[in-house]
Amino acid sequence: MDEPWSFDYNNMDSADVEKMYIKAAFKLAEEALDNGEVPVGCVMVFEGSIIAESRNTVNETKNAVRHAEMNCVDQVFEWCKKHERDSSLVFKNLHVFVNVEPCIMCASALRVLDIPQVVYGCNNERFGGCGSVMNIHNDEVPGFGRSLQVTSGVNADDAVKLLKLFYKGQNPNAPHPILKAQKLTELNQTS
Amino acid sequence: SKTNVDLHISPWYLTPVLADKYYQHTESENVYVAEVLDQKMTAQLVKTLSSQYPLTGLSHVKRVRARANGKKNAGLEIIICRAIDVNINHLDSSSTSIQTEKIMKTDVSHLNALSEFCKLFVVPKYPPLTRKQYEQSSQLWPVQFHEDKYIARVMNNQVFTTSELNFIEQNMSLALKLAMVSKCHVGAVVVDPATKTVVARAHDFRNKHTLQHAVMVAIDLVAQGQNGGAWNRYGLQIGPNLQEAESLNDSCIKRENHTTSQSLDECCGKDCRLTKTSPYLCTGYDLYVTREPCTMCAMALVHSRIRRVFYGVSTPWGALGSRYKIHVWEGLNHHFEVWKGVLEKQCQL
Ligand SMILES: [Zn+2]
Ligand SMILES: [Zn+2]
């Protein structure tokens, strides 16, 4: 018999696996929040293991495109280089877990890379590219790969709570309280 | 550091890429119109009708007009209500003629001032945004028109002076040169129009990294110029390639450190709120890119708060005019201007 606290990947149903990875993404999102970033975290899974995990680093990099998903994509490229794997094949079989709906840019990136599916927590009303603002996930666009399969609403309440915490600026762990207010106004628009 | 590009310049035409609403044909909506038999009652009728049947959403439409049958003093016509309002009153909103008293819930003097029947008319559904739309709308029914002077100038190609057009061409020439050294044939530069300086020069690396489109590279180079950036830290292909490209062609790609951040580092201690004075993302900057950006790049430009985008040639997948118009997408919180056609022929690489 398996001990209840040990993960037996083979004995978990797919919903449990999804929740497990979404939780991993959520942990990264909390880390983002602790660093004054919009709380979005992402993990990318290939052949049953996490090969990329990152969070939003927009403020840190002064680059508004450094969303969790984009950072993860770079990690996947590095992983492929290290393990001498064909990145295009890896992306074709990659599973993406993120606590918030990918934005229009990130959804486009997932399509460009021909990533088959994404699982996420809550909707992204400001920038969502998987139905909230645009339908990048399944619109037909020349040059895009297959349409992106979307599973939404996994642990959505937690994701919403975390975002609300950010937008209210109630994160006690944020390192620079003076900068925080300024970042909040910036990121209200950036997320 | 500016490279003089020896290009055979063929004529090019700058075209604005505006939201569809500026080009749309006038849409119409049905209303019921009665003749005003007693013109002394007109003001009274307008007052009563605007409380009884406010023209919700049709505030640009004038309530009363002179009858349009070519004759002078042919009388007045007045809009009683929108056809939808009749529908709400459980009458048939598609009938072309309806008894006025069936719609009007008011005293006899009002009814006597109006024709017995009112007829179905079409009026422009939306306020005209351009002179052309105004002219089209006016053929249906008189409307108010508040011309947006800037949009009028944009549509009539009156925004840029000759020297500004030369500057635009000069920047695109630089982007074009970068495109030529790129294996993927796309080049981009970011320009600060206030100081007329190039902030970042980039070209495409998508052959090595699927997402390193020229625009994405340019955005990261701007960040690097602000002491940020990501692709420099990740040590991905962008670094080595930059040098490679530079050795191929004298300084064809290079980030240019923002002078302010350097001097602030020197003169101010850590307490200095340098973030307040240093540039924020691409705010106030213009991008020049040889071909129309994809959806990823277009949204990256929204996130980066770009001011204007100029591109050379359209692409079928393009998100700034062809497949989408992300720069004017309703529901997004930042919009920017887009102009296409700069060095269009040369940019068809
Ligand atoms: Zn994103
Ligand atoms: Zn692109």
Side-chain angles (χ1 to χ4, degrees):
Chain A
M1 272 282 279
D2 282 329
E3 285 167 355
W5 54 83
S6 73
F7 271 133
D8 182 354
Y9 186 82
N10 295 321
N11 279 348
M12 291 167 80
D13 67 19
S14 65
D16 285 339
V17 175
E18 272 174 7
K19 279 207 167 137
M20 181 182 83
Y21 288 129
I22 281 289
K23 273 187 182 148
F26 192 81
K27 264 197 121 61
L28 290 154
E30 284 179 319
E31 186 192 309
L33 187 67
D34 289 345
N35 287 277
E37 303 275 2
V38 178
V40 183
C42 175
V43 298
M44 294 191 172
V45 176
F46 178 65
E47 290 176 347
S49 53
I50 294 177
I51 64 166
E53 48 184 342
S54 192
R55 58 165 174 93
N56 195 311
T57 55
V58 166
N59 278 325
E60 185 187 322
T61 59
K62 297 179 170 139
N63 181 338
V65 316
R66 299 317 299 183
H67 290 184
E69 301 93 318
M70 304 300 271
N71 287 337
C72 279
V73 166
D74 281 349
Q75 286 181 11
V76 172
F77 273 115
E78 285 188 325
W79 185 90
C80 292
K81 213 169 157 187
K82 196 175 156 195
H83 294 84
E84 294 178 350
R85 299 292 288 257
D86 179 347
S87 60
S88 67
L89 287 179
V90 171
F91 282 119
K92 275 184 173 57
N93 294 286
L94 200 64
H95 297 261
V96 176
F97 300 87
V98 53
N99 61 313
V100 182
E101 176 189 358
C103 75
I104 292 159
M105 173 187 71
C106 291
S108 304
L110 301 182
R111 290 288 306 269
V112 167
L113 293 161
D114 205 18
I115 289 173
Q117 69 155 175
V118 60
V119 177
Y120 61 80
C122 67
N123 289 344
N124 180 346
E125 303 296 342
R126 286 186 169 86
F127 302 115
C130 303
S132 289
V133 180
M134 286 180 83
N135 296 313
I136 298 295
H137 64 298
N138 62 10
D139 273 359
E140 253 182 60
V141 178
F144 274 0
R146 299 164 284 184
S147 61
L148 184 66
Q149 276 198 28
V150 167
T151 308
S152 64
V154 183
N155 285 15
D157 293 347
D158 289 344
V160 170
K161 267 183 214 154
L162 201 62
L163 281 177
K164 277 192 179 155
L165 209 57
F166 174 82
Y167 287 113
K168 279 186 199 155
Q170 284 177 348
N171 175 24
N173 302 327
H176 304 296
I178 304 164
L179 283 176
K180 220 173 64 186
Q182 178 196 352
K183 274 172 186 164
L184 282 179
T185 46
E186 286 168 1
L187 288 162
N188 258 330
Q189 305 149 349
T190 308
S191 153
Chain B
S1 67
K2 306 280 177 301
T3 352
N4 278 323
V5 187
D6 186 26
L7 290 162
H8 177 72
I9 305 289
S10 48
W12 53 272
Y13 304 95
L14 196 61
T15 311
V17 185
L18 294 170
D20 291 339
K21 62 182 180 183
Y22 294 108
Y23 305 106
Q24 263 156 12
H25 227 70
T26 310
E27 273 185 67
S28 56
E29 184 175 335
N30 290 335
V31 294
Y32 281 104
V33 172
E35 273 175 63
V36 181
L37 301 178
D38 181 0
Q39 293 195 20
K40 283 183 297 229
M41 283 290 288
T42 310
Q44 189 70 47
L45 284 165
V46 169
K47 203 179 161 204
T48 307
L49 284 168
S50 28
S51 71
Q52 199 169 97
Y53 288 117
L55 295 177
T56 315
L58 293 176
S59 56
H60 55 285
V61 172
K62 293 183 180 172
R63 192 106 207 184
V64 181
R65 75 163 181 185
R67 283 190 72 188
N69 65 356
K71 288 181 216 152
K72 269 195 174 172
N73 299 325
L76 299 176
E77 285 169 322
I78 188 162
I79 298 174
I80 302 295
C81 62
R82 300 174 306 165
I84 313 165
D85 298 331
V86 166
N87 204 7
I88 291 161
N89 289 340
H90 308 292
L91 294 166
D92 180 9
S93 67
S94 64
S95 58
T96 52
S97 181
I98 199 162
Q99 264 190 302
T100 310
E101 68 175 339
K102 278 193 176 167
I103 320 176
M104 291 281 282
K105 307 160 274 186
T106 186
D107 59 68
V108 188
S109 68
H110 282 89
L111 283 175
N112 285 344
L114 293 165
S115 56
E116 188 188 349
F117 286 91
C118 37
K119 289 179 185 160
L120 203 61
F121 267 70
V122 287
V123 297
K125 191 169 183 173
Y126 302 109
L129 302 170
T130 67
R131 191 149 287 278
K132 197 174 167 189
Q133 288 174 343
Y134 173 61
E135 281 158 12
Q136 281 172 1
S137 300
S138 302
Q139 289 186 346
L140 294 178
W141 189 271
V143 287
Q144 315 262 16
F145 177 45
H146 305 288
E147 189 170 32
D148 181 329
K149 293 274 157 51
Y150 182 69
I151 289 295
R153 277 170 58 214
V154 169
M155 294 190 108
N156 296 319
N157 282 323
Q158 292 166 340
V159 174
F160 300 106
T161 64
T162 310
S163 81
E164 283 169 333
L165 289 171
N166 286 337
F167 183 61
I168 290 166
E169 184 180 284
Q170 182 193 321
N171 292 324
M172 191 59 87
S173 301
L174 185 56
L176 194 50
K177 186 162 185 189
L178 291 158
M180 283 164 166
V181 297
S182 154
K183 289 199 175 84
C184 310
H185 313 299
V186 190
V189 296
V190 177
V191 171
D192 181 352
T195 54
K196 291 200 182 267
T197 50
V198 176
V199 180
R201 310 150 174 229
H203 72 54
D204 222 271
F205 291 98
R206 79 183 73 184
N207 55 333
K208 299 200 171 160
H209 181 311
T210 324
L211 301 188
Q212 283 182 348
H213 295 189
V215 172
M216 301 301 273
V217 175
I219 287 171
D220 202 57
L221 291 175
V222 170
Q224 288 180 34
Q226 296 169 7
N227 297 322
W231 278 332
N232 46 344
R233 301 171 192 205
Y234 277 97
L236 284 165
Q237 291 88 341
I238 186 172
N241 269 13
L242 281 171
Q243 282 158 12
E244 189 189 314
E246 271 186 79
S247 64
L248 276 173
N249 212 302
D250 61 314
S251 68
C252 59
I253 300 191
K254 151 168 140 200
R255 70 190 164 88
E256 314 212 338
N257 262 308
H258 213 274
T259 45
T260 53
S261 49
Q262 220 171 14
S263 55
L264 278 170
D265 275 349
E266 285 163 10
C267 70
C268 305
K270 275 182 183 169
D271 294 336
C272 176
R273 295 261 73 88
L274 58 96
T275 44
K276 276 189 179 167
T277 48
S278 64
Y280 173 64
L281 305 175
C282 295
T283 306
Y285 292 165
D286 295 344
L287 173 89
Y288 293 78
V289 56
T290 51
R291 73 181 192 199
E292 186 183 354
C294 71
T295 46
M296 175 183 69
C297 292
M299 192 59 200
L301 292 164
V302 173
H303 286 314
S304 300
R305 304 271 175 274
I306 201 82
R307 190 186 77 129
R308 272 183 180 148
V309 171
F310 297 88
Y311 65 84
V313 62
S314 298
T315 58
W317 56 87
L320 299 182
S322 298
R323 180 63 181 82
Y324 303 101
K325 287 181 174 176
I326 282 186
H327 60 298
V328 289
W329 197 270
E330 283 186 32
L332 289 178
N333 60 351
H334 175 72
H335 292 161
F336 52 84
E337 285 183 12
V338 172
W339 303 79
K340 65 176 181 178
V342 189
L343 297 178
E344 188 170 10
K345 254 213 159 97
Q346 284 82 10
C347 286
Q348 282 163 356
L349 291 170

